Amino acid sequence: MRAMQFVGPGQPLLVPVEVPDPVAKPGWVVIDVEAAGMCHSDVGIVDGPGVGWLSHYPIILGHEVAGVVSSLGEGVTGFEIGDRVAVCLRQGRDEDYAVLGPDTHLGPNGGSAPGLHVDGGYAEKCMVRASRLMHIPDDVSFEVAAVTTDAVVTAFAAVRTTADVRLGDTVAIIGLGGLGLNGARIAHLCGAKVYGVDTNEATFPKALEAGVRECFTDISALKALKPSVIIDFAGMGVTTDAAIKAAPPECRVILVGLGSHQMTLATSPFVTKKVKLLSSLGGTREDLALAFDQIASGNLLPAVQEFAFEDINGALEMLREGKATGRLFTRPRAAASQ
């Protein structure tokens, strides 16, 4: 089968390869990949700082995966050949450690995250531990299901769980790419007054459609709004510091984005304003089920942007440059049929 493989540090591009089709082992399932989303963490891996998130390399990246079950390993129950499924990165609220990290941090399902610990979705087929699968509702497309497993569920958990956004809150969203747009829409659905910040003004129209009241190119503009919550989906190192400087006393600042591997914070505004700085990563199976319900009901529709399977490296560059206007995804199976 065709795949795009990360060879190792110092290699700035994913490499097209032909590899054997996976064969389902006990407790695992092989799926035909109908859609695979691209996450900014893939840029971190390819560019170097995120390579420690992998258990090994070479490896096929792609951890946002949706497709059709094509074979079942021994002992698998609850799924049938032909089922539409998506891959959960976390299994429950008691799994508090990040998916990104050594196997020992992952509990009973450690070492099985596709695209991080086993070959992932940038391929025609992907083998996944059955316990990580969820059925996709009939009204949810493969591409939306794929990006929901990370981009939507991460935003869902950041807004609903970590930030605890409530009716009447004023919420500022920093970074209006695929992840931030989802966060903005979810905050709007929670009854918050939502504002957005992004250096790319091309993201503003979709943000306004998602329920954002006004957009800015400068984080300092948030100061006059006195937001109760600021969620940094960019994580560019300077963005969180700017958020703290713009925040009113006792504001909740949530860091989600991994745009930079380091940040520096100004001590005085952080301490004197008693800002609550929290981080949020991913979401649970419960979060994913709730997100699917909202999508199936029409309340939440993630903004997606398709790219050709052969142009994954071009999509990586779009993410590096902040030019994506929705969550990027590709169709490996469609490429195989051409």
Side-chain angles (χ1 to χ4, degrees):
M1 67 176 183
R2 301 170 67 192
M4 296 294 288
Q5 188 179 66
F6 171 67
V7 177
Q11 302 295 321
L13 301 177
L14 301 183
V15 178
V17 294
E18 290 280 345
V19 296
D21 289 1
V23 177
K25 58 187 179 182
W28 293 62
V29 170
V30 172
I31 64 175
D32 292 342
V33 181
E34 298 295 341
M38 176 168 279
C39 178
H40 201 284
S41 62
D42 292 331
V43 177
I45 291 169
V46 173
D47 290 351
V51 74
W53 301 332
L54 304 176
S55 63
H56 69 281
Y57 48 80
I59 189 172
I60 298 168
L61 300 183
H63 56 268
E64 298 181 2
V65 187
V68 176
V69 174
S70 58
S71 65
L72 305 170
E74 182 182 352
V76 172
T77 60
F79 297 95
E80 302 288 343
I81 292 175
D83 283 356
R84 303 170 72 248
V85 293
V87 180
C88 303
L89 293 180
R90 285 175 59 191
Q91 305 302 297
R93 298 193 185 279
D94 58 344
E95 189 179 332
D96 292 330
Y97 293 103
V99 170
L100 306 178
D103 292 4
T104 53
H105 286 184
L106 296 170
N109 291 306
S112 61
L116 297 167
H117 309 121
V118 298
D119 284 338
Y122 297 160
E124 297 171 40
K125 294 176 179 286
C126 178
M127 183 168 63
V128 182
R129 190 189 293 271
S131 61
R132 288 193 176 275
L133 294 180
M134 280 189 68
H135 289 96
I136 301 172
D138 292 339
D139 294 333
V140 178
S141 66
F142 285 116
E143 60 269 24
V144 168
V147 303
T148 297
T149 62
D150 190 10
V152 180
V153 79
T154 293
F156 201 92
V159 173
R160 289 278 303 268
T161 304
T162 308
D164 192 25
V165 170
R166 304 290 182 90
L167 177 68
D169 277 340
T170 298
V171 176
I173 302 293
I174 298 174
L176 296 172
L179 199 62
L181 282 174
N182 292 327
R185 179 60 181 171
I186 292 162
H188 174 72
L189 291 174
C190 289
K193 294 174 286 186
V194 186
Y195 298 87
V197 182
D198 201 297
T199 56
N200 180 9
E201 294 186 32
T203 63
F204 290 1
K206 286 187 177 180
L208 296 173
E209 291 175 8
V212 172
R213 297 187 173 202
E214 191 173 0
C215 297
F216 310 95
T217 57
D218 193 327
I219 294 172
S220 65
L222 300 176
K223 189 172 183 178
L225 301 174
K226 297 182 179 179
S228 46
V229 175
I230 302 176
I231 307 179
D232 183 2
F233 285 106
M236 298 304 296
V238 297
T239 50
T240 307
D241 180 57
I244 290 172
K245 289 175 179 175
E250 300 191 7
C251 178
R252 304 188 296 280
V253 176
I254 316 300
L255 175 58
V256 183
L258 293 167
S260 175
H261 67 285
Q262 289 185 338
M263 67 176 177
T264 301
L265 302 180
T267 306
S268 180
F270 179 50
V271 174
T272 59
K273 291 192 288 187
K274 296 190 289 185
V275 171
K276 299 175 178 66
L277 177 60
L278 302 169
S279 63
S280 188
L281 176 68
T284 65
R285 177 178 288 272
E286 292 88 347
D287 293 324
L288 183 55
L290 288 170
F292 276 156
D293 286 344
Q294 289 294 312
I295 292 168
S297 66
N299 291 327
L300 180 63
L301 183 60
V304 295
Q305 184 177 355
E306 186 171 1
F307 60 91
F309 184 64
E310 297 81 2
D311 196 30
I312 283 181
N313 288 307
L316 281 171
E317 188 60 30
M318 287 180 65
L319 289 174
R320 285 190 190 95
E321 297 177 357
K323 293 183 177 179
T325 57
R327 193 64 166 189
L328 302 180
F329 79 95
T330 189
R331 303 180 193 271
R333 296 288 295 173
S337 65
Q338 294 174 356

